[in-house]
Amino acid sequence: MTRPSRQKWLLVLVGILLVTNIITLTVFFWTSRSQEEAATPPPKPRMGKFIVDEMQFDSTQEAAYWEMRDSLMEAQKPVWDSIRAAKKRFFDLVNYTDVNDTLLQARINEVLAHQKKLDINTFHHFQQVRTLCRPDQMQKFDTVIKEIVNRMTSFRRPGRNAAGGSTLKK
């Protein structure tokens, strides 16, 4: 009779240890994740900050710029969502064996139509930002926009700069 009691107590003890370990691990991972999130600052709009810094906008220009940029971002969100959905529909065609070129062209044209909207909105945004510039800032703005367009259109792999050279130290 002592044997089943001893086994019963051992099972209860193992169960308590198992539950305690699970609770400890849960608390550990939960608190470490929330500390990481709290320590991570929200992402800064890098391109916007680049423009403000390079153009050396005064406080009035900077406030107007950020307002324009926020307006652009709000206008672009639905366009980005449309591009994402159109690309998904395009690549969903991979699942079918009987896809003809007409359907393929129709789906890619849908993606391109949304991309066109995005580029036109961005172009108009740059025109508006240019109106913020003082006459002495115009030439600098034209140079900065060329650099921004180069960044937007260049394909960069991690560890490489836009010119194709390695940014890694040897």
Side-chain angles (χ1 to χ4, degrees):
M1 196 79 134
T2 60
R3 196 164 197 205
S5 296
R6 194 180 269 168
Q7 283 180 342
K8 187 177 181 181
W9 280 109
L10 285 175
L11 283 175
V12 168
L13 184 61
V14 168
I16 290 171
L17 289 173
L18 182 66
V19 169
T20 324
N21 284 339
I22 290 172
I23 291 170
T24 304
L25 288 173
T26 304
V27 168
F28 173 75
F29 285 117
W30 185 63
T31 57
S32 67
R33 185 180 301 165
S34 63
Q35 287 173 352
E36 276 181 24
E37 291 170 359
T40 306
K44 293 182 180 176
R46 294 182 313 194
M47 197 61 70
K49 183 81 172 120
F50 174 76
I51 290 175
V52 169
D53 291 345
E54 287 294 312
M55 294 306 303
Q56 298 175 344
F57 283 154
D58 61 33
S59 58
T60 307
Q61 288 173 309
E62 185 174 353
Y65 169 76
W66 287 115
E67 189 175 314
M68 285 179 185
R69 186 186 176 284
D70 291 344
S71 170
L72 173 71
M73 291 299 117
E74 282 301 312
Q76 299 290 56
K77 280 181 187 177
V79 180
W80 278 112
D81 292 342
S82 297
I83 289 172
R84 222 174 276 112
K87 282 189 175 191
K88 184 184 179 314
R89 286 189 295 276
F90 174 75
F91 284 106
D92 282 347
L93 294 176
V94 169
N95 299 328
Y96 302 99
T97 56
D98 59 342
V99 177
N100 61 33
D101 286 343
T102 305
L103 180 58
L104 204 60
Q105 284 298 318
R107 294 282 172 91
I108 198 65
N109 285 338
E110 181 184 359
V111 172
L112 294 174
H114 295 299
Q115 183 67 47
K116 183 179 174 180
K117 286 180 196 175
L118 189 77
D119 290 342
I120 288 171
N121 288 346
T122 304
F123 178 84
H124 289 306
H125 169 71
F126 287 151
Q127 281 183 323
Q128 287 178 330
V129 172
R130 194 171 198 276
T131 64
L132 290 176
C133 296
R134 296 183 309 264
D136 61 305
Q137 293 174 317
M138 289 293 189
Q139 186 176 4
K140 178 70 173 174
F141 178 81
D142 295 340
T143 304
V144 167
I145 288 302
K146 286 178 185 175
E147 187 172 338
I148 289 171
V149 170
N150 186 38
R151 286 183 184 187
M152 288 172 32
T153 58
S154 67
F155 173 75
R156 291 179 290 170
R157 288 187 230 156
R160 299 231 174 237
N161 62 22
S166 178
T167 59
L168 301 174
K169 296 194 173 32
K170 293 182 182 179

